[in-house]
Amino acid sequence: MALRGLWLISHEQGAGGTILFSRRYPTVEKRAKCLNGASYAPVPEDSSFLKALLFELRLTDEDQNFIERRDGCSQINKTSVYALQAESGDLWPVVAFQKSGLIYVSLPLVEQPVTPHPPLISISGISQAFAILSGLLAFMNSSQKSKAERTAKIGQLPGLLMQACPLGTPLDRNLNGLSLENSHVAPSSHAQKPPAWRTSTYKGKPQVNVCIIEKVKSVQYDKRDVVDMWQVYGTVTCKCDIEGTAPNVTVGLNLPANGSPLQDVLVHPCVMSLNSAVLTSSSVDVMDDSAFSGPYKFPLIPPPDLFDLCFYTSQVPVPPILGFYQLKEEELQWKFTIHLKLHESVKNTFEYCEARVPFFNRGPITHLEYKVSYGQLEVAKEKSLLVWIIGQKFPKSLEISLSGTVAFGAVSQEQPVDPVCTGGTAYIKLYFRILDFTLTGCYTDQHSIQVFSSGKPKISTGRSGGRVETRRPATTSHGPDEQ
């Protein structure tokens, strides 16, 4: 476990980036050349590295346009892990994240060929890179109130990193706990040092809060030759107010007997160990049917602030709401029909639920006649969008419908433009949120959370369907005789 390089970059909105500090480790670079073989790509000069990084992070004005290699749907983004396109080849895995105008970057050593990219879980250096960058973040944010103080802290980095990461090997994540005057390692009899992410200790009544938020994105075509697609994206957030330098907490996630297994699980660096079966289930590998169905246990030393414990995806059997949308041109008007059906397995209690029907690139709406079976319909201020407010509940039949005709005025530059809504292409978007409900059935309770410290903590849990978007492209036709 070693690092090939470490960078601290300044970037302000609307300005270019500047490398404030960089450290390379030639001995680790020689190991990378031997271990990576033909797939080895040397680290470029700082100027080239900075240019490639800002391009990948979409932080330069000229790189805002769509680029297939970086922005295409086939690109699977991994949180804070990037591949930089350098002249000598792709540099991967580059760990980078932004905070308070600074970009923290590290390049861990991969002890195997990197083409094709091996699974991230098999690269132990990635967690080490996150840990050392988290320590660097805590050091830079502690008592920093001016540019002069930031400059002084940057001047201390060479000496501190000689202790924390000698020859590219991370030994101590807590840069605040190191001393430039005394570089020897503290005896083991001293009190336990907190991890880099636990920058302060809590004093008060112990309590643990865990919240599960799931979002589902669904695209339904209502065509035999086009497959509908949907997937759940989950986030587990935690706030652990526990006394002690390094308290141990175990958070468990449970699924019902018919729950959909969690996949693509990505955990916070504070998680100390994890069942390998949790990490091997991937939605990318369609041939893998050995998805781990729990229970999911995460032993950790929590940071003092609110943090995302883990992210996951899941493939539920059916979308929560099924829809049908038809748009048909008749003389100078367009006739539309929309049917929505709530699946019986979904909790019929919403915080909000609305469907948005855009008519972009056609001019403002000048005439509207409609019939709605449930809820109410409104025309947005820009006269190019219908908003169907369904409310907080579907009727007992779980089915609702909206139909009508709409006419448009002359197209003007003031009207919204959408490159997708051209010609006969149209769609509706459905947004809703359900409290105390998850599509996968994932939940946590007091029995799933263990705290190893003095005192009995107060435990609060919650879950939510999150902000959900379902896109239903329209079945369109032109002329009165076409279906």
Side-chain angles (χ1 to χ4, degrees), residues 138 174 176 191-207 239-248 301-305 453:
N174 185 12
N176 284 315
Q192 181 183 8
K193 285 187 176 182
W197 54 83
R198 194 167 179 83
T199 55
S200 61
T201 56
Y202 172 78
K203 296 293 184 182
K205 185 178 181 180
Q207 54 184 348
K239 180 69 165 68
C240 300
D241 295 328
I242 306 296
E243 292 186 350
T245 303
N248 290 311
I301 299 176
D305 301 317
S453 67

Side-chain angles (χ1 to χ4, degrees), residues 131-453:
I132 198 71
L133 291 180
S134 298
L136 180 58
L137 169 65
F139 173 74
M140 293 301 299
N141 285 347
S142 62
S143 303
Q144 179 186 322
K145 298 181 180 179
S146 65
K147 289 187 176 180
E149 290 180 336
R150 187 177 77 173
T151 302
K153 284 182 173 292
I154 294 173
Q156 299 176 27
L157 289 180
L160 293 176
L161 286 175
M162 285 184 64
Q163 304 174 52
C165 191
L167 300 178
T169 303
L171 297 181
D172 196 334
R173 306 175 182 90
N174 185 12
L175 272 66
N176 284 315
L178 299 176
S179 172
L180 293 176
E181 297 179 357
N182 189 4
S183 60
H184 70 273
V185 179
S188 58
S189 59
H190 284 193
Q192 181 183 8
K193 285 187 176 182
W197 54 83
R198 194 167 179 83
T199 55
S200 61
T201 56
Y202 172 78
K203 296 293 184 182
K205 185 178 181 180
Q207 54 184 348
V208 177
N209 295 285
V210 180
C211 181
I212 304 172
I213 299 177
E214 289 187 353
K215 300 180 181 181
V216 59
K217 291 188 176 182
S218 171
V219 181
Q220 303 172 30
Y221 301 94
D222 196 36
K223 293 183 179 180
R224 294 181 179 179
D225 56 339
V226 182
V227 179
D228 295 344
M229 301 184 67
W230 63 90
Q231 191 168 38
V232 173
Y233 299 85
T235 303
V236 181
T237 60
C238 292
K239 180 69 165 68
C240 300
D241 295 328
I242 306 296
E243 292 186 350
T245 303
N248 290 311
V249 178
T250 298
V251 176
L253 302 180
N254 302 309
L255 291 175
N258 60 344
S260 301
L262 309 185
Q263 298 174 308
D264 305 315
V265 178
L266 181 65
V267 300
H268 190 277
C270 70
V271 176
M272 296 180 291
S273 64
L274 203 59
N275 187 336
S276 60
V278 175
L279 302 167
T280 54
S281 180
S282 172
S283 61
V284 178
D285 188 358
V286 296
M287 302 300 293
D288 183 13
D289 58 355
S290 59
F292 182 71
S293 57
Y296 303 84
K297 293 187 178 296
F298 302 91
L300 55 104
I301 299 176
D305 301 317
L306 182 71
F307 67 100
D308 294 326
L309 173 62
C310 72
F311 303 91
Y312 62 84
T313 66
S314 183
Q315 188 64 55
V316 295
V318 293
I321 298 178
L322 297 174
F324 168 82
Y325 179 28
Q326 186 180 58
L327 186 64
K328 183 178 180 181
E329 186 179 16
E330 293 184 350
E331 297 180 353
L332 299 178
Q333 295 182 331
W334 287 82
K335 182 178 180 180
F336 61 90
T337 303
I338 303 172
H339 296 287
L340 298 177
K341 180 179 180 181
L342 179 68
H343 194 269
E344 56 269 15
S345 64
V346 178
K347 183 180 179 181
N348 190 12
T349 303
F350 298 87
E351 183 178 3
Y352 63 85
C353 182
E354 66 180 38
R356 301 178 187 177
V357 189
F359 293 104
F360 299 138
N361 311 322
R362 288 187 172 92
I365 297 174
T366 57
H367 174 76
L368 172 65
E369 293 182 3
Y370 67 91
K371 180 180 180 181
V372 61
S373 68
Y374 196 80
Q376 59 185 22
L377 188 67
E378 297 179 354
V379 181
K381 184 178 180 180
E382 66 273 14
K383 302 294 184 179
S384 296
L385 177 71
L386 299 181
V387 181
W388 183 8
I389 302 175
I390 299 169
Q392 298 180 328
K393 201 169 186 179
F394 272 62
K396 290 184 178 180
S397 64
L398 303 182
E399 296 187 34
I400 57 177
S401 63
L402 169 67
S403 60
T405 58
V406 62
F408 307 96
V411 179
S412 64
Q413 295 182 351
E414 298 178 356
Q415 294 303 120
V417 176
D418 186 345
V420 176
C421 253
T422 58
T425 303
Y427 60 87
I428 65 171
K429 280 186 176 181
L430 184 64
Y431 299 86
F432 62 88
R433 183 175 183 180
I434 306 174
L435 297 178
D436 194 27
F437 175 82
T438 53
L439 290 167
T440 61
C442 183
Y443 70 95
T444 185
D445 54 29
Q446 292 187 354
H447 303 290
S448 304
I449 300 174
Q450 296 177 312
V451 179
F452 303 93
S453 67

